[in-house]
């Protein structure tokens, strides 16, 4: 769950939730004193087409701040939803403490996603990926056409710290990933690719 959750019903590609704008809102969760909640996101979407998250401010959030997620589709179920045409632009994301935060932005399901001109600081406990995570971890998901550009990323922990591309986990494809003009400092590492060589990743 989370503060804002936008879900389409499974297998409803013809009746998907469309054209959502979240702009000029401040979010503060006060997570410093509690336990880590891995699936409690500030904004979580499952099956959204045409979403804009712009000029917002996020502080002290639980786990992933913005998560483009799924219903847990599998090769047996097939892809039942998909996030597409999402713009995450010019937001400020500050974790406050590394111990209780996950990724700043996580893309588990997405096609044509732009993550641009965001400032992300002090996020990600050690076992989480980092500031921005593209996580194609199931072959039923679509992860295609992801642009990560012009972001400022500072003081982020996690297995990557800055930007993590997790591709081909269990045969999951990830295609057309562009990483351009980001400024990364004080992180565990700047950029990490976790790619298995099963020929399902291209153009990254």
């Amino acid at each position: 769950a989370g503060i804002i959750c936008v879900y389409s019903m499974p297998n409803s590609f013809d009746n998907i939730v469309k054209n959502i704008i979240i702009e000029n809102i401040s979010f503060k969760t006060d997570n410093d004193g509690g336990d880590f909640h891995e699936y409690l996101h500030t904004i979580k979407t499952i099956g959204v087409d045409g979403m804009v998250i712009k000029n917002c401010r996020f502080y002290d959030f639980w786990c992933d701040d913005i998560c483009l997620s799924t219903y847990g589709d599998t090769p047996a179920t097939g892809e039942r939803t998909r996030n597409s045409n999402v713009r995450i632009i010019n937001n400020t994301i500050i974790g406050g403490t590394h111990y209780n935060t996950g990724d700043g932005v996580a893309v588990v399901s997405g096609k044509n996603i732009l993550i641009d001109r965001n400032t992300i600081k002090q996020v990600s406990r050690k076992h989480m990926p980092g500031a921005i995570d593209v996580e194609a971890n199931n072959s039923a998901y679509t992860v295609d056409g992801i642009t990560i550009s012009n972001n400022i990323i500072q003081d982020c922990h996690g297995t990557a710290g800055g930007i993590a591309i997790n591709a081909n986990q269990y045969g999951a494809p990830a295609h057309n990933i562009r990483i351009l003009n980001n400024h990364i400092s004080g992180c565990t590492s700047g950029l990490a690719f976790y790619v298995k060589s099963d020929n399902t990743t291209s153009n990254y």
Side-chain angles (χ1 to χ4, degrees):
I3 296 175
I4 295 178
C5 302
V6 184
Y7 298 175
S8 294
M9 294 297 293
N11 300 310
S12 61
F13 285 97
D14 294 334
N15 193 29
I16 200 168
V17 176
K18 295 184 178 181
N19 302 325
I20 305 294
I21 298 175
I22 301 172
E23 186 173 5
N24 295 318
I25 300 176
S26 293
F27 300 87
K28 192 172 191 301
T29 313
D30 293 327
N31 71 353
D32 288 350
D35 295 327
F36 178 66
H37 294 285
E38 186 168 355
Y39 300 104
L40 186 59
H41 311 297
T42 307
I43 296 176
K44 182 175 182 177
T45 71
I46 299 179
V48 174
D49 184 9
M51 185 173 204
V52 177
I53 304 171
K54 182 178 180 181
N55 297 330
C56 291
R57 295 155 299 281
F58 301 87
Y59 304 100
D60 297 342
F61 53 90
W62 296 107
C63 198
D64 302 336
D65 190 39
I66 300 170
C67 184
L68 309 185
S69 191
T70 76
Y71 280 113
D73 299 335
T74 67
T77 66
E79 185 180 43
R80 296 175 293 175
T81 60
R82 181 190 306 151
N83 298 293
S84 58
N85 303 310
V86 176
R87 304 289 179 263
I88 301 170
I89 303 172
N90 201 37
N91 301 285
T92 298
I93 299 172
I94 300 177
T97 172
H98 301 98
Y99 301 106
N100 285 339
T101 58
D103 308 319
V105 179
V107 180
V108 182
S109 160
K111 184 172 184 177
N112 190 21
I113 309 298
L114 175 65
I115 304 167
D116 183 68
R117 288 176 285 133
N118 302 283
T119 297
I120 306 176
K121 298 181 179 181
Q122 298 172 349
V123 307
S124 196
R125 57 195 274 138
K126 291 183 178 180
H127 76 280
M128 302 298 289
I132 299 173
D133 175 36
V134 177
E135 190 171 330
N137 57 14
N138 187 298
S139 61
Y141 304 159
T142 293
V143 175
D144 190 355
I146 315 296
T147 299
I148 302 169
S149 56
N150 304 305
N151 299 286
I152 297 172
I153 299 171
Q154 297 176 343
D155 189 25
C156 297
H157 293 181
T159 55
I163 299 170
I165 309 297
N166 290 280
N168 296 12
Q169 183 78 3
Y170 308 112
H175 302 294
N176 302 309
I177 311 296
R178 300 197 308 160
I179 301 172
L180 308 169
N181 302 318
N182 299 281
H183 186 276
I184 302 171
S185 62
C187 297
T188 306
S189 64
L191 174 63
F193 288 95
Y194 305 98
V195 179
K196 294 184 178 180
S197 56
D198 63 359
N199 301 316
T200 61
T201 295
S202 64
N203 298 333
Y204 60 87

